[in-house]
Amino acid sequence: MKCEWCDANEATAISCTVYWELPDGSRAIEITETPGFYCNSCGMEYQSEKIIIQLEDQLMIIDTKKLEKTTTYEQLMAQPKLLKQNYFRFN
């Protein structure tokens, strides 16, 4: 797969841990088992734009006060939604 950072064809899909600041700025959480990529050429570990948007949108539409300091990606995405969508994302 082509790396989004160095354009080498050495990126592979991985599961990784990311740290995300909550939309209200009150704290950051650890999100484990997050889909991502690792490039063997440049050493960069990153998430695709699709995953970043999913994380940001989910954190905007759930009750983040109920989140623990650490959660898995699947647990985060399974949280009950307060809104149908992120109405602050203007496409």
Side-chain angles (χ1 to χ4, degrees), residues 13-21 28-38 44-47 51-52 55 69-76:
I14 61 168
S15 178
C16 52
T17 298
V18 298
Y19 300 89
W20 224 267
E21 184 176 357
I29 59 169
E30 178 182 55
I31 307 168
T32 61
E33 301 174 30
T34 305
F37 297 95
Y38 175 77
M44 187 60 110
E45 186 177 291
Y46 61 93
Q47 280 64 51
I51 295 296
I52 291 169
L55 288 169
K69 290 181 180 181
T70 300
T71 187
T72 67
Y73 175 80
E74 291 297 324
Q75 289 170 335
L76 176 65

Side-chain angles (χ1 to χ4, degrees), residues 46-64:
Y46 61 93
Q47 280 64 51
S48 68
E49 189 68 25
K50 177 183 173 186
I51 295 296
I52 291 169
I53 289 171
Q54 287 176 348
L55 288 169
E56 290 176 348
D57 285 352
Q58 184 72 349
L59 290 170
M60 286 293 290
I61 64 175
I62 64 171
D63 185 357
T64 58

